Amino acid sequence: MEPGPPGSFGPAEPGPCLSGQRGADHAASASLQSAARTEPGGHSLAVAAVLPAGGCGERMGVPTPKQFCPILERPLISYTLQALERVYWIKDIVVAVTGENMEVMKSIIQKYQHKRISLVEAGVTRHRSIFSGLKALAEDQLNSKLSKPEVVIIHDAVRPFVEEDVLLKVVTAAKEHGAAGAIRPLVSTVISPSADGCLDHSLERARHRASEMPQAFLFDVIYEAYQQCTDYDLEFGTECLQLALKYCRTKAKLVEGSPDLWKVTYKRDLYAAESIIKEIISQEICVVMDSKEDNKHVGHLLEEVLKSELNHVKVTSEALCLAGRHLQQIILDQCYNFVCVNVMTSDFQETQKLLSMLEESSLSILYPVVVVS
Protein backbone atom coordinates (compact mmCIF):
# COMPACT_ATOMS: atom_id res chain seq x y z
CA MET A 1 0.00 0.00 0.00
CA GLU A 2 1.15 3.46 -0.82
CA PRO A 3 -0.40 6.39 1.05
CA GLY A 4 -0.81 9.67 -0.73
CA PRO A 5 1.44 12.57 0.21
CA PRO A 6 0.58 14.24 3.49
CA GLY A 7 -0.12 17.94 3.80
CA SER A 8 -2.39 20.29 5.66
CA PHE A 9 -3.55 21.98 2.48
CA GLY A 10 -3.49 21.07 -1.17
CA PRO A 11 -5.52 21.88 -4.23
CA ALA A 12 -7.42 18.59 -4.03
CA GLU A 13 -9.59 20.01 -1.26
CA PRO A 14 -10.98 23.19 -2.82
CA GLY A 15 -12.79 23.00 -6.10
CA PRO A 16 -16.31 23.42 -7.33
CA CYS A 17 -19.03 21.15 -6.04
CA LEU A 18 -19.53 19.23 -9.26
CA SER A 19 -23.20 18.68 -8.56
CA GLY A 20 -23.75 22.41 -8.98
CA GLN A 21 -25.56 22.68 -5.63
CA ARG A 22 -22.90 24.46 -3.63
CA GLY A 23 -24.37 26.28 -0.65
CA ALA A 24 -27.84 24.74 -1.02
CA ASP A 25 -29.58 23.23 2.02
CA HIS A 26 -26.58 24.07 4.21
CA ALA A 27 -28.43 23.51 7.48
CA ALA A 28 -29.75 20.13 6.38
CA SER A 29 -26.30 19.08 5.22
CA ALA A 30 -24.74 20.09 8.53
CA SER A 31 -27.33 18.03 10.36
CA LEU A 32 -26.63 15.00 8.20
CA GLN A 33 -22.88 15.44 8.69
CA SER A 34 -23.33 15.46 12.43
CA ALA A 35 -25.40 12.29 12.26
CA ALA A 36 -22.83 10.52 10.10
CA ARG A 37 -19.85 11.58 12.18
CA THR A 38 -21.21 10.53 15.57
CA GLU A 39 -23.20 7.67 16.97
CA PRO A 40 -26.02 8.20 19.49
CA GLY A 41 -23.50 7.72 22.29
CA GLY A 42 -21.34 10.54 20.98
CA HIS A 43 -18.58 8.30 19.59
CA SER A 44 -17.02 9.08 16.24
CA LEU A 45 -18.28 6.95 13.35
CA ALA A 46 -15.31 5.66 11.37
CA VAL A 47 -15.98 5.71 7.63
CA ALA A 48 -13.70 4.62 4.78
CA ALA A 49 -14.17 4.24 1.03
CA VAL A 50 -13.01 1.63 -1.49
CA LEU A 51 -12.70 2.44 -5.21
CA PRO A 52 -12.14 -0.44 -7.63
CA ALA A 53 -10.11 1.07 -10.47
CA GLY A 54 -8.62 -1.94 -12.21
CA GLY A 55 -10.84 -2.03 -15.27
CA CYS A 56 -9.45 -1.83 -18.79
CA GLY A 57 -12.42 0.09 -20.23
CA GLU A 58 -13.25 -2.21 -23.15
CA ARG A 59 -16.55 -0.45 -23.86
CA MET A 60 -14.78 2.90 -24.05
CA GLY A 61 -13.01 1.82 -27.23
CA VAL A 62 -9.76 3.65 -26.40
CA PRO A 63 -6.36 2.21 -25.39
CA THR A 64 -6.28 4.12 -22.08
CA PRO A 65 -8.40 2.68 -19.23
CA LYS A 66 -11.35 5.04 -18.84
CA GLN A 67 -10.50 5.95 -15.24
CA PHE A 68 -7.28 7.51 -16.56
CA CYS A 69 -8.79 9.22 -19.60
CA PRO A 70 -8.24 13.00 -19.49
CA ILE A 71 -11.07 15.49 -19.03
CA LEU A 72 -9.83 19.05 -19.38
CA GLU A 73 -6.32 17.56 -19.28
CA ARG A 74 -6.94 15.91 -15.91
CA PRO A 75 -7.55 12.17 -15.36
CA LEU A 76 -11.15 11.19 -14.68
CA ILE A 77 -10.29 9.34 -11.47
CA SER A 78 -8.81 12.54 -10.01
CA TYR A 79 -12.25 14.19 -10.12
CA THR A 80 -13.78 11.23 -8.29
CA LEU A 81 -11.07 11.30 -5.63
CA GLN A 82 -11.63 15.01 -5.14
CA ALA A 83 -15.36 14.44 -4.64
CA LEU A 84 -14.61 11.95 -1.86
CA GLU A 85 -11.79 13.98 -0.30
CA ARG A 86 -14.10 16.96 0.03
CA VAL A 87 -16.13 14.87 2.50
CA TYR A 88 -14.05 15.37 5.62
CA TRP A 89 -15.66 12.54 7.60
CA ILE A 90 -14.35 9.90 5.16
CA LYS A 91 -11.12 8.97 6.92
CA ASP A 92 -9.44 6.68 4.35
CA ILE A 93 -9.85 6.15 0.60
CA VAL A 94 -8.46 2.88 -0.75
CA VAL A 95 -7.98 2.65 -4.52
CA ALA A 96 -7.43 -0.73 -6.17
CA VAL A 97 -5.39 -0.44 -9.38
CA THR A 98 -3.54 -2.98 -11.49
CA GLY A 99 0.18 -3.46 -11.01
CA GLU A 100 0.91 -2.03 -14.44
CA ASN A 101 -0.96 1.19 -13.57
CA MET A 102 0.37 1.57 -10.02
CA GLU A 103 3.02 4.13 -11.00
CA VAL A 104 0.48 6.08 -13.06
CA MET A 105 -1.83 6.26 -10.05
CA LYS A 106 1.02 7.37 -7.77
CA SER A 107 1.88 10.18 -10.17
CA ILE A 108 -1.76 11.33 -10.22
CA ILE A 109 -1.85 11.42 -6.42
CA GLN A 110 1.35 13.45 -6.35
CA LYS A 111 0.51 15.86 -9.15
CA TYR A 112 -2.97 16.73 -7.90
CA GLN A 113 -1.95 16.53 -4.25
CA HIS A 114 -4.63 14.07 -3.24
CA LYS A 115 -4.82 13.18 0.42
CA ARG A 116 -5.98 10.23 2.54
CA ILE A 117 -5.35 7.87 -0.40
CA SER A 118 -3.91 4.35 -0.13
CA LEU A 119 -3.24 2.06 -3.07
CA VAL A 120 -3.67 -1.71 -3.29
CA GLU A 121 -3.24 -4.03 -6.23
CA ALA A 122 -6.49 -4.76 -8.05
CA GLY A 123 -7.75 -8.22 -8.90
CA VAL A 124 -8.68 -9.42 -12.36
CA THR A 125 -12.39 -8.68 -11.75
CA ARG A 126 -14.37 -5.92 -10.07
CA HIS A 127 -15.31 -8.06 -7.05
CA ARG A 128 -11.72 -9.23 -6.57
CA SER A 129 -10.57 -5.60 -6.61
CA ILE A 130 -13.14 -4.63 -4.00
CA PHE A 131 -12.09 -7.61 -1.88
CA SER A 132 -8.46 -6.43 -2.07
CA GLY A 133 -9.51 -3.01 -0.77
CA LEU A 134 -11.53 -4.55 2.06
CA LYS A 135 -8.61 -6.78 3.06
CA ALA A 136 -6.35 -3.73 3.30
CA LEU A 137 -8.80 -2.10 5.73
CA ALA A 138 -9.35 -5.28 7.74
CA GLU A 139 -5.76 -6.37 8.23
CA ASP A 140 -3.68 -4.71 10.92
CA GLN A 141 -0.44 -4.27 8.99
CA LEU A 142 2.76 -2.86 10.41
CA ASN A 143 3.37 0.79 9.43
CA SER A 144 -0.07 1.01 7.83
CA LYS A 145 -2.08 4.13 8.54
CA LEU A 146 -5.29 2.27 7.72
CA SER A 147 -7.62 1.00 10.41
CA LYS A 148 -10.81 -1.00 10.17
CA PRO A 149 -13.82 1.32 9.74
CA GLU A 150 -17.30 0.75 11.06
CA VAL A 151 -18.86 1.67 7.72
CA VAL A 152 -17.28 1.34 4.30
CA ILE A 153 -18.41 3.08 1.12
CA ILE A 154 -17.93 1.33 -2.21
CA HIS A 155 -17.91 3.67 -5.17
CA ASP A 156 -16.90 3.58 -8.82
CA ALA A 157 -13.76 5.42 -9.89
CA VAL A 158 -15.63 6.63 -13.00
CA ARG A 159 -18.56 8.33 -11.23
CA PRO A 160 -17.04 11.77 -10.56
CA PHE A 161 -20.25 13.66 -9.76
CA VAL A 162 -21.20 11.99 -6.47
CA GLU A 163 -22.74 14.42 -3.98
CA GLU A 164 -22.00 14.55 -0.27
CA ASP A 165 -25.67 14.31 0.68
CA VAL A 166 -26.01 10.98 -1.19
CA LEU A 167 -22.91 9.65 0.56
CA LEU A 168 -24.35 10.71 3.90
CA LYS A 169 -27.68 9.06 3.18
CA VAL A 170 -26.18 5.69 2.25
CA VAL A 171 -23.78 5.76 5.22
CA THR A 172 -26.57 6.61 7.65
CA ALA A 173 -28.82 3.91 6.17
CA ALA A 174 -26.01 1.35 6.26
CA LYS A 175 -25.37 2.12 9.93
CA GLU A 176 -29.02 1.30 10.65
CA HIS A 177 -29.72 -1.54 8.21
CA GLY A 178 -26.27 -3.04 7.58
CA ALA A 179 -26.24 -2.20 3.88
CA ALA A 180 -27.53 0.57 1.62
CA GLY A 181 -27.27 1.60 -2.00
CA ALA A 182 -28.27 4.40 -4.32
CA ILE A 183 -30.92 3.69 -6.94
CA ARG A 184 -32.41 5.53 -9.90
CA PRO A 185 -35.59 5.04 -11.96
CA LEU A 186 -35.18 2.96 -15.09
CA VAL A 187 -34.91 4.99 -18.28
CA SER A 188 -35.72 2.09 -20.60
CA THR A 189 -37.97 -0.93 -20.18
CA VAL A 190 -36.07 -4.16 -19.50
CA ILE A 191 -37.07 -7.10 -21.69
CA SER A 192 -36.11 -10.77 -21.67
CA PRO A 193 -35.50 -12.39 -25.08
CA SER A 194 -36.20 -16.04 -25.78
CA ALA A 195 -33.64 -18.49 -27.15
CA ASP A 196 -34.77 -17.78 -30.73
CA GLY A 197 -34.22 -14.04 -30.34
CA CYS A 198 -37.88 -13.11 -29.89
CA LEU A 199 -39.50 -11.30 -26.99
CA ASP A 200 -40.21 -13.60 -24.06
CA HIS A 201 -41.46 -11.05 -21.52
CA SER A 202 -40.84 -7.53 -20.27
CA LEU A 203 -40.56 -6.07 -16.79
CA GLU A 204 -42.92 -3.41 -15.52
CA ARG A 205 -40.56 -0.43 -15.46
CA ALA A 206 -42.35 1.38 -12.63
CA ARG A 207 -41.75 -1.54 -10.26
CA HIS A 208 -37.98 -1.78 -10.84
CA ARG A 209 -34.98 0.45 -10.28
CA ALA A 210 -31.41 0.74 -11.56
CA SER A 211 -28.75 0.02 -8.98
CA GLU A 212 -26.15 2.79 -8.84
CA MET A 213 -23.16 3.75 -6.73
CA PRO A 214 -22.30 4.71 -4.03
CA GLN A 215 -23.17 1.81 -1.77
CA ALA A 216 -22.31 1.54 1.92
CA PHE A 217 -22.08 -1.34 4.38
CA LEU A 218 -21.28 -2.12 7.95
CA PHE A 219 -17.71 -3.27 7.38
CA ASP A 220 -18.14 -6.59 9.17
CA VAL A 221 -21.17 -7.41 6.99
CA ILE A 222 -19.60 -6.86 3.59
CA TYR A 223 -16.22 -8.31 4.59
CA GLU A 224 -17.87 -11.50 5.84
CA ALA A 225 -19.87 -11.71 2.60
CA TYR A 226 -16.72 -11.48 0.49
CA GLN A 227 -14.97 -14.08 2.63
CA GLN A 228 -17.83 -16.52 2.03
CA CYS A 229 -18.61 -15.87 -1.62
CA THR A 230 -17.66 -18.37 -4.31
CA ASP A 231 -15.12 -18.04 -7.11
CA TYR A 232 -18.08 -17.76 -9.48
CA ASP A 233 -19.31 -14.70 -7.55
CA LEU A 234 -15.86 -13.14 -7.64
CA GLU A 235 -15.46 -13.79 -11.35
CA PHE A 236 -18.88 -12.91 -12.74
CA GLY A 237 -20.78 -10.96 -10.07
CA THR A 238 -21.18 -7.18 -10.06
CA GLU A 239 -23.74 -6.39 -7.35
CA CYS A 240 -22.30 -5.92 -3.85
CA LEU A 241 -25.74 -5.55 -2.25
CA GLN A 242 -26.66 -9.02 -3.49
CA LEU A 243 -23.59 -10.52 -1.79
CA ALA A 244 -24.62 -8.98 1.54
CA LEU A 245 -28.12 -10.42 1.09
CA LYS A 246 -26.96 -13.85 -0.11
CA TYR A 247 -24.28 -14.54 2.48
CA CYS A 248 -25.20 -12.37 5.47
CA ARG A 249 -28.98 -12.17 5.06
CA THR A 250 -28.67 -8.38 5.19
CA LYS A 251 -31.38 -6.58 3.24
CA ALA A 252 -30.06 -3.30 1.86
CA LYS A 253 -31.92 -0.06 2.35
CA LEU A 254 -32.39 1.58 -1.05
CA VAL A 255 -31.76 5.33 -1.24
CA GLU A 256 -32.96 7.52 -4.09
CA GLY A 257 -29.90 8.90 -5.86
CA SER A 258 -29.46 12.05 -7.91
CA PRO A 259 -29.28 12.19 -11.74
CA ASP A 260 -25.56 13.05 -11.45
CA LEU A 261 -24.64 9.53 -10.34
CA TRP A 262 -24.26 8.30 -13.92
CA LYS A 263 -21.19 6.34 -14.86
CA VAL A 264 -18.66 7.26 -17.54
CA THR A 265 -18.83 4.17 -19.72
CA TYR A 266 -18.54 5.13 -23.38
CA LYS A 267 -16.33 7.62 -25.19
CA ARG A 268 -19.23 10.04 -25.62
CA ASP A 269 -19.60 10.12 -21.84
CA LEU A 270 -16.21 11.82 -21.60
CA TYR A 271 -17.54 14.74 -23.64
CA ALA A 272 -20.67 14.88 -21.48
CA ALA A 273 -18.57 14.94 -18.30
CA GLU A 274 -16.38 17.71 -19.72
CA SER A 275 -19.47 19.75 -20.59
CA ILE A 276 -20.84 19.40 -17.05
CA ILE A 277 -17.54 20.46 -15.48
CA LYS A 278 -17.22 23.45 -17.79
CA GLU A 279 -20.74 24.57 -16.97
CA ILE A 280 -20.19 24.33 -13.23
CA ILE A 281 -16.84 26.12 -13.09
CA SER A 282 -18.26 28.96 -15.20
CA GLN A 283 -21.03 29.78 -12.72
CA GLU A 284 -19.06 32.50 -10.91
CA ILE A 285 -17.13 35.54 -12.12
CA CYS A 286 -15.11 37.95 -9.98
CA VAL A 287 -14.49 41.47 -11.27
CA VAL A 288 -11.15 42.65 -9.84
CA MET A 289 -10.48 46.40 -9.93
CA ASP A 290 -7.74 48.69 -8.71
CA SER A 291 -10.25 50.74 -6.68
CA LYS A 292 -13.73 50.06 -5.30
CA GLU A 293 -14.24 53.47 -3.71
CA ASP A 294 -15.25 55.17 -6.95
CA ASN A 295 -18.86 54.22 -7.65
CA LYS A 296 -18.39 55.30 -11.27
CA HIS A 297 -15.42 53.02 -11.74
CA VAL A 298 -15.80 51.07 -14.98
CA GLY A 299 -15.38 47.88 -12.94
CA HIS A 300 -18.63 48.60 -11.10
CA LEU A 301 -20.39 49.33 -14.35
CA LEU A 302 -19.11 46.07 -15.83
CA GLU A 303 -20.27 44.20 -12.72
CA GLU A 304 -23.81 45.56 -13.08
CA VAL A 305 -23.94 44.69 -16.78
CA LEU A 306 -22.77 41.13 -16.12
CA LYS A 307 -25.35 40.69 -13.36
CA SER A 308 -28.15 41.84 -15.61
CA GLU A 309 -27.07 39.80 -18.64
CA LEU A 310 -25.92 36.60 -16.95
CA ASN A 311 -28.76 35.67 -14.63
CA HIS A 312 -27.43 32.15 -13.97
CA VAL A 313 -23.93 33.34 -13.02
CA LYS A 314 -22.83 34.65 -9.63
CA VAL A 315 -20.98 37.95 -10.17
CA THR A 316 -18.84 39.44 -7.40
CA SER A 317 -16.26 42.21 -7.26
CA GLU A 318 -13.15 42.89 -5.20
CA ALA A 319 -10.28 45.35 -5.00
CA LEU A 320 -6.66 44.29 -4.98
CA CYS A 321 -5.79 46.05 -1.74
CA LEU A 322 -5.03 45.11 1.84
CA ALA A 323 -2.71 42.42 0.49
CA GLY A 324 -5.68 40.87 -1.27
CA ARG A 325 -7.13 39.19 1.83
CA HIS A 326 -10.70 39.25 0.53
CA LEU A 327 -9.58 38.11 -2.90
CA GLN A 328 -7.70 35.20 -1.40
CA GLN A 329 -10.93 34.08 0.23
CA ILE A 330 -12.73 34.35 -3.10
CA ILE A 331 -10.06 32.11 -4.64
CA LEU A 332 -10.51 29.57 -1.84
CA ASP A 333 -14.26 29.76 -2.38
CA GLN A 334 -13.78 28.14 -5.78
CA CYS A 335 -13.97 30.99 -8.26
CA TYR A 336 -12.16 30.22 -11.51
CA ASN A 337 -13.04 33.23 -13.67
CA PHE A 338 -11.68 36.75 -13.19
CA VAL A 339 -11.96 40.04 -15.05
CA CYS A 340 -9.18 42.41 -13.99
CA VAL A 341 -9.94 46.10 -14.70
CA ASN A 342 -7.03 48.58 -14.49
CA VAL A 343 -7.98 52.26 -14.52
CA MET A 344 -5.69 54.00 -12.01
CA THR A 345 -2.53 52.54 -13.57
CA SER A 346 -1.56 51.57 -17.08
CA ASP A 347 1.22 49.09 -16.36
CA PHE A 348 -1.05 46.20 -15.38
CA GLN A 349 0.46 45.86 -11.91
CA GLU A 350 -2.91 44.79 -10.52
CA THR A 351 -3.29 42.08 -13.13
CA GLN A 352 0.18 40.77 -12.34
CA LYS A 353 -0.67 40.81 -8.64
CA LEU A 354 -3.76 38.71 -9.33
CA LEU A 355 -1.82 36.26 -11.49
CA SER A 356 0.78 35.85 -8.75
CA MET A 357 -1.95 35.07 -6.20
CA LEU A 358 -3.50 32.49 -8.52
CA GLU A 359 -0.14 30.83 -9.13
CA GLU A 360 0.52 30.60 -5.40
CA SER A 361 -2.89 29.02 -4.82
CA SER A 362 -2.16 26.21 -7.34
CA LEU A 363 -5.80 26.55 -8.34
CA SER A 364 -5.11 25.77 -11.99
CA ILE A 365 -3.85 22.30 -11.10
CA LEU A 366 -7.47 21.19 -10.72
CA TYR A 367 -9.43 23.30 -13.21
CA PRO A 368 -8.71 25.85 -15.95
CA VAL A 369 -8.52 29.39 -14.61
CA VAL A 370 -9.62 32.23 -16.91
CA VAL A 371 -8.28 35.78 -16.40
CA VAL A 372 -9.43 38.60 -18.68
CA SER A 373 -7.48 41.85 -18.27
Side-chain angles (χ1 to χ4, degrees):
M1 290 177 291
E2 293 288 341
S8 59
F9 174 79
E13 194 165 293
C17 177
L18 292 180
S19 67
Q21 296 182 355
R22 183 180 61 208
D25 301 325
H26 181 74
S29 176
S31 176
L32 280 171
Q33 290 175 7
S34 176
R37 289 189 70 205
T38 57
E39 300 179 49
H43 302 293
S44 176
L45 178 62
V47 180
V50 172
L51 266 69
C56 59
E58 291 180 1
R59 288 176 291 182
M60 182 69 73
V62 295
T64 303
K66 57 188 175 183
Q67 60 270 26
F68 300 121
C69 284
I71 299 178
L72 297 177
E73 302 183 6
R74 179 179 163 199
L76 173 60
I77 192 172
S78 177
Y79 292 95
T80 308
L81 291 177
Q82 183 191 0
L84 294 176
E85 286 174 313
R86 191 183 293 112
V87 182
Y88 64 90
W89 43 264
I90 298 178
K91 182 181 178 183
D92 297 303
I93 302 169
V94 180
V95 183
V97 295
T98 61
E100 62 186 28
N101 288 319
M102 191 67 71
E103 291 304 317
V104 173
M105 193 66 235
K106 289 179 183 178
S107 66
I108 291 172
I109 292 172
Q110 182 177 11
K111 179 175 180 179
Y112 300 101
Q113 301 180 26
H114 290 297
K115 298 177 289 185
R116 312 199 306 273
I117 310 297
S118 296
L119 302 182
V120 298
E121 188 160 350
V124 295
T125 65
R126 170 183 168 80
H127 272 327
R128 291 190 186 279
S129 294
I130 294 171
F131 197 11
S132 294
L134 294 175
K135 286 178 181 177
L137 289 167
E139 298 170 359
D140 186 15
Q141 300 184 28
L142 187 64
N143 298 326
S144 173
K145 295 181 180 180
L146 295 175
S147 57
K148 189 178 85 168
E150 184 174 357
V151 175
V152 61
I153 298 167
I154 297 176
H155 189 59
D156 288 328
V158 290
R159 295 182 192 258
F161 304 117
V162 61
E163 302 173 1
E164 182 176 0
D165 64 335
V166 174
L167 292 165
L168 283 164
K169 287 175 183 176
V170 296
V171 166
T172 303
K175 178 71 172 77
E176 180 178 353
H177 299 274
I183 58 171
R184 290 290 300 159
L186 289 174
V187 177
S188 302
T189 300
V190 178
I191 62 173
S192 178
S194 60
D196 60 358
C198 297
L199 175 65
D200 185 13
H201 67 277
S202 64
L203 299 179
E204 186 179 343
R205 187 171 62 184
R207 296 183 57 190
H208 297 82
R209 293 292 183 270
S211 178
E212 306 285 356
M213 287 289 171
Q215 296 175 352
F217 305 85
L218 288 176
F219 184 84
D220 290 339
V221 168
I222 193 62
Y223 190 53
E224 180 184 344
Y226 270 94
Q227 288 177 307
Q228 294 186 51
C229 68
T230 64
D231 285 338
Y232 184 87
D233 291 322
L234 292 174
E235 289 295 325
F236 302 105
T238 58
E239 181 53 76
C240 303
L241 300 178
Q242 181 63 29
L243 293 181
L245 177 62
K246 181 178 179 179
Y247 293 105
C248 297
R249 300 180 182 274
T250 300
K251 291 185 177 181
K253 179 68 174 177
L254 303 180
V255 176
E256 195 70 26
S258 68
D260 296 321
L261 290 180
W262 57 275
K263 181 180 180 181
V264 174
T265 304
Y266 302 102
K267 190 173 182 178
R268 63 178 178 268
D269 295 331
L270 292 173
Y271 302 113
E274 179 177 317
S275 178
I276 292 173
I277 294 170
K278 283 181 177 179
E279 179 183 0
I280 293 168
I281 64 177
S282 64
Q283 289 180 350
E284 183 171 352
I285 298 174
C286 179
V287 179
V288 182
M289 57 192 85
D290 46 15
S291 174
K292 287 193 70 176
E293 298 178 358
D294 183 3
N295 291 330
K296 295 183 180 180
H297 192 290
V298 68
H300 287 296
L301 299 177
L302 176 60
E303 180 183 1
E304 294 305 316
V305 170
L306 291 175
K307 286 180 177 178
S308 63
E309 295 293 330
L310 305 176
N311 296 325
H312 64 289
V313 175
K314 178 183 178 182
V315 181
T316 59
S317 64
E318 192 54 64
L320 267 173
C321 58
L322 301 175
R325 287 195 295 268
H326 298 297
L327 189 57
Q328 286 175 344
Q329 187 58 49
I330 290 174
I331 293 172
L332 289 176
D333 287 343
Q334 309 157 16
C335 181
Y336 287 82
N337 307 282
F338 300 86
V339 179
C340 196
V341 182
N342 293 274
V343 174
M344 307 300 292
T345 61
S346 60
D347 56 2
F348 299 101
Q349 289 181 350
E350 306 303 324
T351 301
Q352 187 57 53
K353 201 181 296 183
L354 171 62
L355 292 175
S356 297
M357 292 175 63
L358 291 170
E359 288 176 357
E360 290 174 4
S361 72
S362 300
L363 202 66
S364 61
I365 290 178
L366 297 180
Y367 300 96
V369 176
V370 177
V371 178
V372 178
S373 181

